[in-house]
Amino acid sequence: MNANKRLEIFTRLRAQNPHPTTELEYTTPFELLIAVLLSAQATDVSVNKATKRLYPVANTPQKIFDLGVDGLIPYIQTIGLFRTKAKNTIETCRIILEQHKGEVPRTREALEALPGVGRKTANVVLNTAFGEPTIAVDTHIFRVSNRTGIAPGKNVDIVEEKLLKFVPNDFKLDAHHWLILHGRYTCIARTPKCWNCMIADLCEFKQKTPLPDNV
């Protein structure tokens, strides 16, 4: 895919959604961090349901740490891998309190040192909470990048590297959100909605899905 196509793709995505953001619900960088930590192998909807119960009771490192693992589990047990996530969350709170004065660290190295926080989670926090032009590659972004030809790669690291290289600078801050939303609602996994896609004429996916008979 050439640079002109990429520019037009992101121009259209921005025109449709000028101010995209995560579908996770949060009000502080710490709430976002915990929500993203909980979202691994889970839907944003399920995480939001859990944090709606949790955050009115505990939404700071100290308050969640004070719950302890056993106290936290009842709030998040509807989410997959909740026992592991509970342990990681409590340990993350401890480290933030002891090493970062109760504040979410703003560097990738410090974020990735937190239990349960990998590169993808760090990228989301850096981008969404702190306005860094990072691009977190999840399954949706990996699929869209490969299927469309925007940034093909065999693994998430290669796709991230290519996106950072190829996405025009003016669009990098919001590229993560546009691509994930496009993958979540239009360029879906099994049967992409090519017939309802605003960038179908620019996409290099050859087996485009025709308009279904029942639509």
Side-chain angles (χ1 to χ4, degrees):
M1 180 175 287
N2 61 45
N4 288 335
K5 273 189 178 182
R6 291 192 186 94
L7 177 61
E8 179 61 21
I9 284 173
F10 285 102
T11 298
R12 292 184 190 180
L13 292 173
R14 181 169 65 183
Q16 182 195 45
N17 187 0
H19 305 290
T21 188
T22 179
E23 292 187 322
L24 291 170
E25 296 174 0
Y26 74 99
T27 58
T28 66
F30 175 73
E31 288 186 358
L32 176 65
L33 171 64
I34 298 305
V36 179
L37 192 157
L38 294 174
S39 72
Q41 300 182 47
T43 66
D44 288 0
V45 172
S46 68
V47 173
N48 288 338
K49 286 181 179 178
T51 56
K52 279 181 181 178
R53 296 190 300 270
L54 172 64
Y55 288 163
V57 176
N59 67 337
T60 66
Q62 188 65 62
K63 288 180 179 179
I64 291 183
F65 181 75
D66 289 343
L67 288 176
V69 172
D70 291 340
L72 177 59
I73 283 177
Y75 293 100
I76 67 170
Q77 61 188 0
T78 54
I79 302 173
L81 306 175
F82 66 88
R83 294 186 189 280
T84 298
K85 291 177 181 179
K87 293 177 182 177
N88 286 338
T89 298
I90 296 302
E91 183 64 8
T92 285
C93 290
R94 183 190 66 78
I95 293 173
I96 289 175
L97 289 167
E98 293 182 358
Q99 299 182 17
H100 303 289
K101 299 180 180 179
E103 300 292 331
V104 176
R106 300 185 64 144
T107 68
R108 178 186 303 282
E109 293 75 19
L111 285 167
E112 290 186 15
L114 300 172
V117 177
R119 184 175 182 86
K120 183 179 75 173
T121 297
N123 276 338
V124 172
V125 174
L126 289 170
N127 177 268
T128 306
F130 300 132
E132 299 287 339
T134 59
I135 301 177
V137 180
D138 70 345
T139 55
H140 296 298
I141 295 177
F142 183 79
R143 179 176 66 254
V144 171
S145 297
N146 276 285
R147 185 183 275 165
T148 61
I150 290 173
K154 293 182 178 180
N155 59 56
V156 294
D157 292 335
I158 293 174
V159 169
E160 181 185 341
E161 180 182 346
K162 286 189 174 182
L163 285 171
L164 290 172
K165 179 180 179 181
F166 293 141
V167 173
N169 288 334
D170 288 348
F171 300 92
K172 278 182 181 171
L173 181 62
D174 294 319
H176 163 80
H177 298 300
W178 286 319
L179 293 175
I180 196 172
L181 292 171
H182 191 67
R184 186 172 288 165
Y185 298 109
T186 302
C187 196
I188 57 179
R190 292 188 178 181
T191 309
K193 299 177 182 179
C194 303
W195 48 271
N196 194 38
C197 176
M198 69 167 61
I199 61 170
D201 58 315
L202 302 167
C203 169
E204 297 183 354
F205 181 55
K206 294 181 180 179
Q207 298 172 309
K208 290 186 170 63
T209 308
L211 178 68
D213 295 334
N214 60 349
V215 174

